[in-house]
């Protein structure tokens, strides 16, 4: 399983509402919990990042995942909006059956832990959609997690930080369910 930290040390991504984290620094600090639980369940998990293969765009995120040879790629983010909305969503490629199935399992697992509004699956299809090149270029089923609007919503930020341990375990167990299904 490729566990891809969103953004890069160079750009960081959005900043949390409490100003403590960038998307990159938050997941860099926590993604090991997902890896540990996956390995406990018998999987090989590789943490990767686009910057390791020379770029900061979603195309490089796809390259970093492809280089691992994994059977599933998961990219970790948190969300931002200027409309005050909050909640959990998961993005996948519009016509990848595996990607959709994994996204559905992980979305349910994240909602179960975070108990924020369930904004459901979001499908990437057009060039203007989020992380289009990441989904277009990954060789394996891929998804992108947005567990909460931690950048723009205070409740979402607190919830993500408070429940990060059970969240990581739940994501790993959903991945296990995906491979067993
Ligand atoms: Zn992001």
């Amino acid at each position: 399983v490729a566990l891809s930290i969103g953004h890069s040390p160079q750009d960081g991504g959005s900043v949390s509402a409490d100003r403590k984290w960038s998307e990159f620094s938050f997941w860099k600090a926590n993604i090991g919990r997902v890896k540990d639980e996956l390995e406990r369940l018998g999987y090989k998990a590789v943490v990767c990042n686009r910057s390791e293969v020379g770029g900061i765009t979603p195309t490089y995120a796809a390259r970093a995942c492809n280089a691992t040879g994994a059977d599933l790629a998961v990219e970790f983010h948190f969300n931002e909006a200027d409309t005050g909305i909050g909640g959990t969503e998961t993005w996948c490629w519009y016509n990848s059956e595996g990607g959709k199935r994994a996204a559905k399992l992980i979305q349910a697992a994240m909602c179960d832990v975070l108990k924020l509004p369930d904004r459901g699956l979001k499908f990437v299809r057009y060039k203007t959609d989020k992380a289009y090149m990441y989904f277009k270029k990954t060789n394996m089923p891929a998804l992108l997690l947005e567990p909460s609007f931690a950048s723009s919503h205070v409740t979402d930020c607190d919830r993500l930080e408070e429940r990060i341990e059970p969240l990581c375990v739940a994501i790993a167990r959903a991945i296990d369910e995906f491979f067993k299904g």
Side-chain angles (χ1 to χ4, degrees), residues 24-173:
F24 179 84
S25 71
F26 181 78
W27 284 114
K28 173 114 179 120
N30 289 294
I31 206 164
R33 301 174 197 271
V34 182
K35 178 179 162 77
D36 288 350
E37 180 66 8
L38 278 172
E39 290 184 341
R40 202 187 61 78
L41 292 164
Y43 295 88
K44 183 171 181 213
V46 181
V47 174
C48 61
N49 179 250
R50 51 186 81 178
S51 64
E52 292 156 3
V53 291
I56 61 167
T57 62
T59 300
Y60 289 93
R63 258 185 226 174
C65 289
N66 289 343
T68 68
D71 300 311
L72 178 71
V74 186
E75 167 105 348
F76 291 74
H77 290 253
F78 58 69
N79 229 334
E80 176 167 32
D82 51 19
T83 53
I85 53 167
T88 302
E89 54 190 47
T90 302
W91 292 71
C92 60
W93 188 241
Y94 73 102
N95 71 350
S96 162
E97 281 315 310
K100 263 186 225 176
R101 198 164 61 77
K104 211 172 177 180
L105 288 164
I106 291 184
Q107 172 70 10
M110 293 196 297
C111 288
D112 200 43
V113 172
L114 295 175
K115 306 265 194 294
L116 293 168
D118 182 352
R119 295 175 46 81
L121 301 192
K122 308 284 176 191
F123 299 106
V124 177
R125 179 166 189 170
Y126 302 106
K127 277 186 182 164
T128 49
D129 292 340
K130 193 197 292 266
Y132 174 82
M133 291 305 282
Y134 168 71
F135 287 103
K136 184 152 175 72
K137 298 285 186 185
T138 33
N139 294 332
M140 65 289 273
L143 52 129
L144 185 158
L145 309 185
E146 299 278 14
S148 82
F149 284 74
S151 180
S152 49
H153 196 294
V154 173
T155 306
D156 277 40
C157 179
D158 290 348
R159 198 69 58 83
L160 181 62
E161 290 177 6
E162 284 162 15
R163 302 198 183 168
I164 186 61
E165 287 191 47
L167 180 71
C168 288
V169 170
I171 290 168
R173 290 181 185 170

